[in-house]
Every structure is written in structure tokens, then in C-alpha cells.
Amino acid sequence: MAGQSGSSAAALQGGRGRGVVISDDWPGYSLDLFTYPQHYYGDLDYVLIPHGIIVDRTERLAKDIMQDIGYNDIVVLCVLKGGYKFCADLVEHIKNLSRNSERFISMKVDFVRLKSYRNDQSMQDMQIIGGDDLSKLTGKNVLIVEDVIGTVRTMKALLNNIEKFKPKMIKVASLLVKRISLPDRYRPDYYGFEIPDLFVVGYALDYNEYFRDLNHICVINDRGKAKYRV
């Protein structure tokens, strides 16, 4: 996944908070190179991002966040369910950095759930579950932690709901951003990887509640979609 140009390459963009760009023709890694749950054998095409690379990238995002918003009390708003693993790892990295730094971030973690997919299709109406608790964000510094940002609609709906309660600051960190050709596509303040418009699973990202126990981020195949379709 290293390299600045050429086919089958993922180039690292410059600038804090900007992500590793995985090109459309990146072939990924063979599943035979990694261990993964046996009950998913035959359900995946390839490994898009191995677990170790996710961990290292998350650690760097934690460092960027510390440099930008250290010395603040932060409410971390974790978007469930897919964001819980990324959020837990990100918060732990920030805590470790905070313990050994002159900067300090005091964090409280809260949760909200967005339901926007059925099978592999985005639903027209998005549900925000837990929105009644957003009033506690008034006057607070908020860091939204999301698993993947695709269409603008989902994140804009969440931001619009939070902004009604007048927080002091809102920052967004997402593990993944899908590369979708939209004139007003949304870019979070921090993101780990920019990926092609693929339906990916693993590292808590699911397909109808399956594949959350897969450590790597992988591309699901047609057999897997049919097997776990509801």
C-alpha cells in the first residue's frame, strides 16, 4: 500500500487528518496471507486494509487530534454500531498520548446509532437512535467518531441534529471515507483511509450484523451477500 503513483497503489496525502488514498485499481491482499474466522471462508473477495495498518493509522489520527484539540474537555460521540471498535481504539490511543504529554484531553464517551442500510443498499429514511440524549452536548466540545462516510446525507442529518443543541465545537473523525462522485461530498476533519465505492466489512463494519468479528477490512463477495441477506 505504499507508493506515490502508478496502478495498484495507495498514496499518502499530505496534511494532518487527511487519509491514506486507496486507488480504484488497488487489487488488495489475498485472503490466504491472513488469518480470519473460518465461518467466513468463501464469503469474501480480498483484504482491503489489514488490521495492523488500521491500528497504526488510528494511532496517527490520535496524535493529530491531540495536537489540534489538546487542553480541552471533549465529549466523544461514537456512532454505533460500526464505529465502536474504531472509537475504542482511537480513544485508548488518545488517553495514552495524554498521559505522556503536556497536553491533556478529558474525555467522556456517549453513543448514538444511525440506521441507514438494509442489506447493501442505503435506505431513503435514516433513523437516529438515541437522539433524545443530544441535549447534553450544549456548550460542549464534540468529537463525532464514525466508521465510514459515504453519501453526504447521513452525516449531514446527524450534524444538523447536534447543531440544534449549540455545542461549542464539533469535529468529525471517520475511519473510512468512500470516494463517491458528488458535487458536495463531505470530508471529515480526520479520516483514516479514502477507499473506492465498495461495500466493505470487518473491524466492526457489518453486513446485516455479520462480519463484525473480522479484524481486517475486507470486500464482501456476492456469495456472502446472498448468504446473509435478510
Side-chain angles (χ1 to χ4, degrees):
M1 291 180 61
Q4 297 302 313
S5 62
S7 63
S8 307
L12 180 63
Q13 291 184 338
R16 280 215 306 267
R18 303 185 69 185
V20 176
V21 179
I22 299 177
S23 63
D24 288 342
D25 57 357
W26 169 247
Y29 297 93
S30 169
L31 291 159
D32 295 336
L33 297 173
F34 301 93
T35 58
Y36 63 100
Q38 188 171 350
H39 48 270
Y40 296 137
Y41 283 16
D43 300 331
L44 302 166
D45 269 342
Y46 56 89
V47 176
L48 185 69
I49 311 173
H51 180 251
I53 294 177
I54 299 169
V55 172
D56 287 351
R57 180 70 187 126
T58 302
E59 185 174 10
R60 177 53 198 253
L61 288 179
K63 181 179 179 181
D64 293 343
I65 291 168
M66 272 291 296
Q67 290 175 340
D68 288 345
I69 58 177
Y71 303 117
N72 281 293
D73 294 335
I74 303 292
V75 177
V76 177
L77 189 63
C78 175
V79 180
L80 296 174
K81 297 182 181 177
Y84 79 82
K85 191 167 181 60
F86 173 54
C87 183
D89 289 349
L90 183 66
V91 166
E92 188 61 30
H93 282 307
I94 293 173
K95 285 181 177 179
N96 289 337
L97 289 168
S98 187
R99 291 188 193 105
N100 300 292
S101 172
E102 294 180 357
R103 289 175 174 264
F104 176 74
I105 293 182
S106 174
M107 292 181 295
K108 294 181 180 178
V109 181
D110 204 350
F111 303 91
V112 67
R113 185 179 175 192
L114 309 180
K115 190 169 180 61
S116 58
Y117 272 91
R118 182 178 179 85
N119 295 317
D120 61 345
Q121 299 299 312
S122 178
M123 296 189 300
Q124 186 66 30
D125 296 321
M126 186 195 68
Q127 296 174 291
I128 299 178
I129 303 168
D132 292 340
D133 298 324
L134 295 181
S135 60
K136 66 181 69 174
L137 301 179
T138 300
K140 301 295 179 60
N141 298 302
V142 180
L143 176 66
I144 300 171
V145 180
E146 174 70 286
D147 55 351
V148 56
I149 293 176
T151 63
V152 180
R153 180 176 57 87
T154 302
M155 182 52 64
K156 276 192 173 180
L158 178 59
L159 288 172
N160 287 339
N161 273 269
I162 293 174
E163 287 167 356
K164 293 176 185 176
F165 299 99
K166 302 188 183 305
K168 182 178 179 182
M169 177 194 75
I170 305 177
K171 298 283 187 181
V172 178
S174 181
L175 176 62
L176 305 176
V177 172
K178 287 189 179 181
R179 188 163 48 251
I180 298 175
S181 297
L182 294 173
D184 59 343
R185 65 179 183 168
Y186 175 79
R187 276 290 178 271
D189 300 282
Y190 311 95
Y191 60 97
F193 304 87
E194 179 186 294
I195 67 171
D197 188 13
L198 301 167
F199 195 91
V200 293
V201 294
Y203 195 69
L205 280 75
D206 77 305
Y207 176 81
N208 294 329
E209 298 299 327
Y210 291 92
F211 299 100
R212 294 196 194 277
D213 55 336
L214 176 65
N215 282 333
H216 314 294
I217 292 177
C218 299
V219 176
I220 186 173
N221 61 24
D222 290 339
R223 171 182 160 174
K225 291 178 182 179
K227 183 177 178 181
Y228 300 111
R229 189 174 299 275
V230 295

